[in-house]
């Protein structure tokens, strides 16, 4: 069976993808520096799948270590690259940390992948590359706009670097997956999203408020030009997202790709407002959420949801789980980790 390297494989999306890969019989090697993840996830993944992935604690900013990693593990046929810093606000405060971490690690990986007989990479990108798109839903042809933050810029530059490599290396195959808003947790509630410190993202803030860790959720603005005045996003269940990585990986492993560099939007195609997310949470949890409307958050866009046609028809993947499924699993996970 194919041997797949998953960087950031103990993180939120990474851990769910490792489970999906193992469920499909892939042999997985995880690399993670544990900067934003927990080693406990290794045992949790093992208890879900019944198979312990190989684990290497390693900082991908160290070129020699990356070279040695590939020497230690011969026969890697695909890499899924999640490992990256992802806090938008922190990236504005400390841009060099973001450029160093997110770009150096990518470059060192690509150099090693290039030496392999099978050069295949799936790259974690983001709908942030579209900025505030003019037309909804957002297709893959929507123009990439100047990034709002160094974090967003590392995703754009990362895509460009990979694309440039693919232009000159015929055997090099890559897919950038542009995620909308990943939420939820595995149905077992053994793995999920565990932000360090105060959550920046909506769903962990909701569940932490409901469990009593945070006093109140601030809803950032209700005066946007949307039906209820709050911002609209496309919340995609992390288990659906994880499966999309397996589908994308098989596509390039089996040479089913049309061009050697491809991009796909990963979303549900449905936009939900902040208030709709809160209502979905309240419905599935039976909890009343303490929230108040406050001013807008700087840098927030009004609306972003995916046109899923390319992912559905070309990639052959479709989100199956609902926002309620996501909120139910996120709540179950929050309760599990606070026990
Ligand atoms: C954010 C990042 C985006 C990144 C993504 C990764 C920003 C501006 N954007 O997306 O670049 O790719 O995370 O997960 O940080 N909200 C509240 N109260 C809160 C938190 C959020 O009302 O306490 C609202 C926001 O205003 C937004 C929605 O909830 O309308 C979703 O916010 P969030 O989860 O932070 O995701 P994005 O901003 O879409």
């Amino acid at each position: 069976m194919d041997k797949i390297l998953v960087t950031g494989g103990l993180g939120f999306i990474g851990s769910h993808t490792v489970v999906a890969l193992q469920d499909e019989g892939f042999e997985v090697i995880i690399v993670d520096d544990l900067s934003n993840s927990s080693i406990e996830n290794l045992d949790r993944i093992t208890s879900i799948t019944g198979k312990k992935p190989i684990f290497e604690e390693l900082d991908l900013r160290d070129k020699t270590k990356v070279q040695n990693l590939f020497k230690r593990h011969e026969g890697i046929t695909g890499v899924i690259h999640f490992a990256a810093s992802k806090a938008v606000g922190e990236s504005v405060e400390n841009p060099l940390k973001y450029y160093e971490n997110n770009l150096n690690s990518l470059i060192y990986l690509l150099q090693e992948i290039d030496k392999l007989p099978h050069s295949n990479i799936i790259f974690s990108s983001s709908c942030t590359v579209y900025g505030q798109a003019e037309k909804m839903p957002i297709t893959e042809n929507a123009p990439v706009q100047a990034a709002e933050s160094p974090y967003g810029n590392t995703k754009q530059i990362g895509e460009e670097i990979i694309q440039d490599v693919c232009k000159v290396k015929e055997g090099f195959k890559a897919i950038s997956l542009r995620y909308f808003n990943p939420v939820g947790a595995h149905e077992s509630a053994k793995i999920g999203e565990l932000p360090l410190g105060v959550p920046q993202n909506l769903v962990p803030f909701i569940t932490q408020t409901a469990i009593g860790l945070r006093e109140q959720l601030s809803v950032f603005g209700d005066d946007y030009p949307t039906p209820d005045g709050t911002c609209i996003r496309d919340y995609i269940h992390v288990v659906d997202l994880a499966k999309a990585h397996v589908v994308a990986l098989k596509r390039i492993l089996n040479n089913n790709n049309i061009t050697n560099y491809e991009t796909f939007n990963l979303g549900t195609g449905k936009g939900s407002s902040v208030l709709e997310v809160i209502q979905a949470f309240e419905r599935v949890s039976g909890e009343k959420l303490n929230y108040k409307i406050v001013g807008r958050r700087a840098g927030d866009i009004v609306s972003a949801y995916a046109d899923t046609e390319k992912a559905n028809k070309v990639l052959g993947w479709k989100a199956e789980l609902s926002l309620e499924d996501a909120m139910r699993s996120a709540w179950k996970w929050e309760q599990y980790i606070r026990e």
Side-chain angles (χ1 to χ4, degrees), residues 88 126 151 181 200-202 218-220 231 233 297 300:
V88 175
S126 167
Y151 156 75
N181 288 57
Q200 306 296 313
N201 296 112
L202 178 63
S218 297
V219 173
F220 298 136
C231 292
R233 298 286 184 275
R297 178 171 72 177
D300 267 342

Side-chain angles (χ1 to χ4, degrees), residues 15-162:
S15 59
H16 289 82
T17 302
V18 170
V19 168
L21 285 167
Q22 290 192 321
D23 281 349
E24 296 268 324
F26 286 98
E27 192 182 325
V28 177
I29 302 160
I30 295 176
V31 170
D32 203 299
D33 68 356
L34 302 177
S35 60
N36 192 22
S37 61
S38 163
I39 187 66
E40 285 174 51
N41 280 348
L42 191 59
D43 288 337
R44 291 169 174 168
I45 290 168
T46 311
S47 86
I48 295 171
T49 63
K51 190 163 182 248
K52 192 167 186 151
I54 296 168
F55 172 63
E56 294 258 12
E57 184 178 342
L58 196 141
D59 187 339
L60 296 168
R61 286 173 301 184
D62 187 324
K63 184 172 175 158
T64 312
K65 285 188 178 157
V66 177
Q67 289 172 333
N68 290 336
L69 170 77
F70 279 82
K71 282 182 194 140
R72 272 197 303 282
H73 300 283
E74 282 186 0
I76 291 171
T77 53
V79 175
I80 305 184
H81 180 42
F82 294 102
S85 305
K86 61 155 200 169
V88 175
E90 187 195 30
S91 80
V92 175
E93 300 295 318
N94 196 350
L96 291 176
K97 173 181 168 183
Y98 276 68
Y99 288 116
E100 186 201 21
N101 190 25
N102 294 5
L103 298 181
N104 283 2
S105 57
L106 174 65
I107 292 165
Y108 300 151
L109 274 173
L110 291 171
Q111 286 172 332
E112 296 314 303
I113 294 169
D114 187 33
K115 295 175 191 161
L116 299 173
H118 303 279
S119 302
N120 295 311
I121 182 169
I122 305 294
F123 178 61
S124 282
S125 190
S126 167
C127 68
T128 194
V129 301
Y130 301 115
Q132 177 60 71
E134 257 172 44
K135 275 190 246 145
M136 287 302 139
I138 302 173
T139 70
E140 288 78 356
N141 294 327
V144 167
Q145 302 211 43
E148 294 263 353
S149 69
Y151 156 75
N153 209 18
T154 66
K155 292 298 172 191
Q156 290 189 9
I157 298 170
E159 285 199 17
E160 286 168 5
I161 291 172
I162 298 171

